[in-house]
């Protein structure tokens, strides 16, 4: 049987033509790389970040590069803000086919030193946000009978990590959420998958400082940190090629399973 997308015949360049993708936390880092790679493969892009400046600047940059993009800034912990984001995105493009729940923060500390405030902030931003953002968008996708939801989890959510009990709990929760949304919406042609990055070179990890970064890199079989593009290409697979793949977690970690 012939595959519906043949790289030889059609090329992968436009596999997302006529698709609209909304990426949360896409003002910088992994989210920005995901938005760029999806745009390079034909998608129209909704850039959204709590930081209005980086959200607007990223969308502007993409438009200048010849892509169709709009900035709809939002705080993913705030329902009102999310509703406005979805409304603006629908006004602009009339559909949302791909949702990437990428916005996230870390507030690291050992369990005994972890404040309730930092626990809650990480759960709200990394986990509850996915529930709040996905709920209105899955409604739209259900009507369209088409949707690709990709949640950016973490290897920490699969294996745990020293000093990250809040983050590990949030990302593990996000994986459970992913598997359940996959079950509930499979019949509507909506897939839901997670990408679990390992140690990726962004502002989030730069904050750890050179000494800690080097000690992590030493343990990575691939011998280097991941790049935001490494994650974006995994997202591209779920967004454009993995029609029969749902409820799964792809670890993108250079071989580091700890
Ligand atoms: N960098 C890594 O090594 C790594 C590893 C595993 C998972 N991740 C995950 O990848 C995702 C992106 O991380 P990154 O490294 O690019 O981080 P980053 O800090 O560079 O970017 C995160 C973006 O999310 C935005 N954001 C934060 N809170 C928000 C909110 N409430 N509403 C909307 N936007 C908000 C920030 O403004 C920022 O632009 C996160 O979910 C993170 O947990 C990163």
């Amino acid at each position: 049987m012939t595959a519906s997308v043949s790289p030889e015949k059609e090329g992968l360049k436009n596999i997302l033509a006529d698709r609209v993708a909304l990426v949360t936390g896409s003002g910088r880092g992994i989210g920005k790389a995901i938005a760029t790679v999806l745009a390079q493969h034909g998608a129209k892009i909704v850039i959204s970040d709590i930081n209005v400046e980086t959200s607007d600047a990223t969308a502007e940059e993409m438009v200048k590069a010849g892509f169709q993009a709009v900035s709809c800034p939002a705080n993913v912990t705030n329902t009102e803000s999310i509703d406005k984001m979805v409304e603006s995105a629908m006004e602009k493009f009339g559909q949302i086919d791909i949702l990437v729940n990428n916005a996230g923060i870390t507030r690291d500390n050992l369990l005994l030193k972890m404040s309730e405030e930092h626990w809650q902030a990480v759960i709200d931003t990394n986990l509850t946000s996915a529930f709040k953002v996905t709920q209105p968008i899955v409604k739209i996708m259900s009507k369209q009978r088409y949707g690709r939801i990709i949640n950016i989890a973490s290897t920490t959510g699969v294996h745990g990590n020293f000093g990250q009990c809040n983050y590990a709990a949030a990302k593990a929760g996000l994986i459970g959420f992913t598997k359940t949304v996959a079950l509930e919406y499979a019949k509507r042609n909506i897939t839901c998958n997670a990408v679990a990055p390992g140690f990726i070179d962004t502002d989030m990890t730069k904050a750890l400082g050179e000494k800690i970064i080097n000690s992590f890199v030493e343990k990575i079989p691939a011998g280097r940190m991941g790049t935001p593009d490494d994650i974006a290409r995994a997202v591209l697979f779920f967004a454009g090629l993995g029609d029969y793949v749902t409820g799964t977690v792809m670890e993108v970690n250079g071989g580091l399973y700890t």
Side-chain angles (χ1 to χ4, degrees), residues 24-31 48-51 54 74-77 101-106 125-126 152-156 167 171 195-205 225 228 231:
T24 69
S26 49
R28 71 178 199 186
I30 292 173
S48 185
D49 203 286
I50 192 172
N51 184 326
T54 60
N75 176 355
V76 293
T77 66
N101 285 309
N102 164 79
I105 58 166
T106 50
T125 310
N126 296 274
I152 307 303
S154 169
T155 47
T156 295
Y167 188 75
K171 295 299 193 183
V195 172
F199 198 47
I200 311 302
D201 189 7
T202 67
D203 290 320
M204 184 182 268
T205 42
M225 288 178 91
I231 306 307

Side-chain angles (χ1 to χ4, degrees), residues 135-153:
Q135 208 175 39
I137 292 180
V138 90
K139 225 183 260 178
I140 293 165
M141 290 174 167
S142 283
K143 281 192 195 138
Q144 296 172 173
R145 291 286 199 277
Y146 184 90
R148 298 288 175 264
I149 302 166
I150 301 108
N151 297 320
I152 307 303

Side-chain angles (χ1 to χ4, degrees), residues 115 132 232 252:
S115 69
K132 287 187 174 187
V252 182

